[in-house]
Amino acid sequence: GVDGRSLRPALEGVRSDDVPLEIESEYPWRSFSWAPLHGLVLGPWKYIHAPRDELYDLLADPGETKNLAEDRADVRESLAKTLAHLRTTRTPVRAGDVHLGEDTRSALSRLGYVEGAPVAEDSSRLGLKDPKDMVDVFVDFAQARSLSRVDRNAEALQIATRLCARSPESGELWAFQGKTQLTLGRTRDAILSLERS
């Protein structure tokens, strides 16, 4: 059910502007409970469906510094319809449709692949935080993890505590805080944080 096309022209430097290239990232949702990002590139345009949509003219602004979503509502709406059509015409495989043997299910579960909440088709509109508003949290989280890796756990915990207050919906942040508290011997606090995660 997936259309195919040779990418050889692209490898030879020939750009095809007539086929929409779909892009997505569910990392913000799966790791932090922020809105997932879906979008497409078509011709000179890049559209990102988010709580606050983004639209860029890649020819005039290859660095994507000027969001034209408000100025070019006509293009944004057209690309939004194209994206919605692409997303509704494919047939996704649902977790319940796949039947695994108990050994396989157990092995995948140990790796963390079986659990996880499904993402609603338009969950970016359900009040979830826009990932672009949370970049500072993501950057600080990376710093906290770096500190933890070099046994500077007290500093990492200070950052984690601040981040959990800023993004309390994020199980990833609570889990990190709990693990850091456990490393520091703060078992009761760790239990509360890990339960929250």
Side-chain angles (χ1 to χ4, degrees):
V2 177
D3 292 329
R5 175 177 187 144
S6 172
L7 298 177
R8 183 180 181 117
L11 293 171
E12 296 170 346
V14 177
R15 182 174 170 157
S16 175
D17 290 340
D18 62 334
V19 178
L21 172 64
E22 192 174 351
I23 55 178
E24 69 176 20
S25 176
E26 290 192 353
Y27 177 71
W29 164 252
R30 300 219 179 264
S31 293
F32 299 99
S33 298
W34 303 334
L37 301 173
H38 301 277
L40 59 85
V41 176
L42 182 59
W45 299 104
K46 180 177 184 178
Y47 166 71
I48 301 171
H49 177 67
R52 288 189 328 282
D53 286 347
E54 299 175 52
L55 178 69
Y56 301 99
D57 180 341
L58 298 176
L59 293 179
D61 180 20
E64 301 176 25
T65 61
K66 179 152 176 52
N67 184 356
L68 301 172
E70 295 300 319
D71 299 339
R72 293 300 310 267
D74 58 327
V75 175
R76 182 191 77 227
E77 290 170 15
S78 173
L79 292 175
K81 285 179 186 173
T82 300
L83 177 64
H85 176 73
L86 288 172
R87 290 180 55 79
T88 57
T89 57
R90 66 173 107 97
T91 308
V93 176
R94 305 270 181 225
D97 297 339
V98 177
H99 301 287
L100 304 172
E102 191 51 43
D103 289 345
T104 303
R105 184 179 221 8
S106 178
L108 290 172
S109 181
R110 284 193 302 275
L111 293 171
Y113 290 118
V114 177
E115 294 80 15
V119 178
E121 276 304 304
D122 199 15
S123 57
S124 64
R125 303 290 188 202
L126 299 177
L128 299 177
K129 292 178 179 169
D130 194 319
K132 63 183 158 282
D133 296 332
M134 305 305 288
V135 170
D136 61 322
V137 171
F138 183 77
V139 169
D140 288 350
F141 183 46
Q143 179 189 9
R145 286 185 299 190
S146 293
L147 290 168
S148 179
R149 281 193 284 274
V150 294
D151 293 325
R152 293 171 58 187
N153 291 299
E155 294 169 77
L157 181 57
Q158 287 179 339
I159 295 171
T161 301
R162 180 171 39 83
L163 298 181
C164 286
R166 172 91 193 280
S167 186
E169 69 283 349
S170 173
E172 181 88 9
L173 296 175
W174 286 104
F176 176 78
Q177 177 174 283
K179 291 173 190 173
T180 306
Q181 289 165 326
L182 199 56
T183 300
L184 292 169
R186 296 175 55 180
T187 307
R188 287 187 184 163
D189 293 337
I191 290 170
L192 294 174
S193 294
L194 293 170
E195 285 176 346
R196 182 77 184 259
S197 78

